[in-house]
Amino acid sequence: MNITLRQLQVFEAVARHLNYTRAAEELFLSQPAVSMQIKQLEEQLGEPLFEQMGKKVFLTEAGKEVYRYSLAIENQLAELQMVLAEMKGMQHGKLSLAVASTANYFVPTLLGIFSKRHKGVMVDIDVTNRENLLKALAANTTDFAIMGKPPEGLELEAHAFMNNPLVMLAASDHPLAGRTHIPLSELIGETFIMRERGSGTRAARERFFSEHGGTAFGKTMEMNSNEAIKQAVQAGLGLGVLSIHTMELELMLKRLVVLNVEGFPIMRHWYIVHRQGKRFTTIALAFKEFVLHEAQSLLRLPTAENAA
Ligand code: PGA
């Protein structure tokens, strides 16, 4: 295989835009020059990378794999560039983070404080669910992931830095609102609105319910964002189980209540996670230390009492 970095760079732009013209504009190339680079890359790899249906361009399965690797290679090169820059004494650099959708309720606050201290830092954040975070770590497309505890055996290093209580939320006029010590048996017949497959919150909720009587607990609906679930719960469509981090505003405005249910909150923790043996720049190391030693005290965890 004799592919060039230039071919990968052109491929990455076409794959990102799924459009040859836009990729050509971004790279200041003509469209035929872009098509030629892609054709040569396809010949080298022996696989078509794109397919065209009507006016639309799609990645083939091989194209999707090449895209994943091209992002990892780009990231490795950026890392190399930074290591070399720091060897020359430069202090600023790029920090790339992949953040669980639920952690995005507090990570921007941390980054605001961190970037005031390190003026030169440029941060690149990808907000996604747990399953995609594990893929980003495996593909080495991120320095750190901020997420729930990762599974064992993936050659990852994970450090806990803060509690993540999952609470049961209901509309403020729900008949169970204000009751204390609600037994789980009273929830039979309730509808639950769950996060999508791949979400850490959903996995923890499912574990809890299967340890406490299985699927007997009501009907379920699925939504793929914390915000959508909060809106649905507020509208009276059912109950939800979400991290208390997502609920600061709604608790303050008394739009939602936390139900006092037996076994709740489900206590999870937030972790800063990276690949074992990853070479870090000074700025990335400073970020890790900052999260481990300061995040907990800088962030105020919303509590159900805030609603009172
Ligand atoms: P998520 O949260 O539900 O947004 O994926 C991450 C986690 O709790 O592990």
Side-chain angles (χ1 to χ4, degrees):
M1 191 163 46
N2 194 14
I3 64 179
T4 66
L5 283 175
R6 183 61 173 161
Q7 284 168 348
L8 282 183
Q9 191 190 18
V10 172
F11 166 78
E12 190 276 327
V14 179
R16 184 161 32 85
H17 291 293
L18 290 176
N19 185 312
Y20 282 75
T21 314
R22 257 182 261 144
E25 275 166 16
E26 179 181 302
L27 297 166
F28 300 106
L29 291 174
S30 66
Q31 199 192 316
V34 168
S35 303
M36 178 57 74
Q37 294 272 10
I38 298 295
K39 193 163 163 274
Q40 284 168 352
L41 183 61
E42 289 180 327
E43 276 164 12
Q44 285 293 337
L45 297 173
E47 295 276 357
L49 302 176
F50 294 101
E51 55 191 348
Q52 187 129 14
M53 289 190 211
K55 285 194 168 161
K56 285 201 161 178
V57 175
F58 296 90
L59 280 166
T60 60
E61 282 310 305
K64 284 181 194 160
E65 280 304 307
V66 176
Y67 187 46
R68 213 159 59 80
Y69 278 92
S70 69
L71 291 178
I73 291 167
E74 204 175 286
N75 208 47
Q76 292 279 42
L77 284 174
E79 193 175 313
L80 170 65
Q81 210 172 8
M82 242 171 334
V83 170
L84 294 177
E86 290 197 353
M87 282 179 171
K88 288 186 199 143
M90 282 169 64
Q91 282 308 309
H92 54 271
K94 202 181 113 213
L95 178 65
S96 71
L97 294 181
V99 174
S101 354
T102 305
N104 197 40
Y105 286 83
F106 61 82
V107 169
T109 308
L110 288 180
L111 280 174
I113 300 169
F114 184 76
S115 50
K116 274 195 191 108
R117 291 190 202 165
H118 301 270
K119 293 259 189 286
V121 65
M122 282 186 324
V123 190
D124 175 15
I125 307 190
D126 180 19
V127 179
T128 181
N129 72 22
R130 175 180 173 85
E131 198 170 289
N132 292 326
L133 296 175
L134 292 172
K135 283 188 192 153
L137 286 165
N140 200 20
T141 53
T142 187
D143 290 328
F144 299 107
I146 306 284
M147 62 188 295
K149 190 172 193 215
E152 305 287 332
L154 295 183
E155 301 193 351
L156 298 174
E157 202 177 307
H159 303 271
F161 64 90
M162 189 166 62
N163 289 339
N164 176 22
L166 305 189
V167 294
M168 192 175 297
L169 51 139
S172 39
D173 59 356
H174 191 278
L176 293 174
R179 287 257 317 268
T180 53
H181 308 295
I182 303 164
L184 287 171
S185 55
E186 285 214 26
L187 302 176
I188 295 175
E190 294 285 345
T191 298
F192 279 91
I193 306 163
M194 301 201 296
R195 283 278 306 275
E196 77 287 2
R197 223 163 269 289
S199 143
T201 307
R202 173 179 171 139
R205 177 210 171 275
E206 283 181 344
R207 245 187 336 267
F208 178 88
F209 279 102
S210 72
E211 283 162 8
H212 294 81
T215 50
F217 293 101
K219 290 177 291 192
T220 53
M221 282 166 66
E222 188 174 312
M223 297 191 182
N224 68 356
S225 82
N226 293 316
E227 286 302 313
I229 292 178
K230 287 189 296 182
Q231 293 295 336
V233 171
Q234 221 172 292
L237 286 176
L239 303 177
V241 174
L242 291 182
S243 164
I244 191 121
H245 285 285
T246 65
M247 294 176 55
E248 183 165 19
L249 210 60
E250 287 77 8
L251 290 179
M252 220 159 63
L253 298 174
K254 302 191 193 321
R255 288 182 176 162
L256 290 171
V257 291
V258 170
L259 296 184
N260 185 332
V261 176
E262 165 193 321
F264 275 79
I266 303 171
M267 191 52 83
R268 285 171 63 73
H269 299 92
W270 290 115
Y271 286 74
I272 179 162
V273 184
H274 59 80
R275 286 162 68 102
Q276 275 171 16
K278 178 146 176 102
R279 270 287 305 267
F280 284 119
T281 59
T282 313
I283 201 85
L285 276 179
F287 182 73
K288 180 175 168 186
E289 291 303 304
F290 169 71
V291 169
L292 289 180
H293 298 119
E294 298 189 55
Q296 171 110 311
S297 57
L298 288 169
L299 297 165
R300 202 175 58 97
L301 198 68
T303 60
E305 285 73 46
N306 289 352

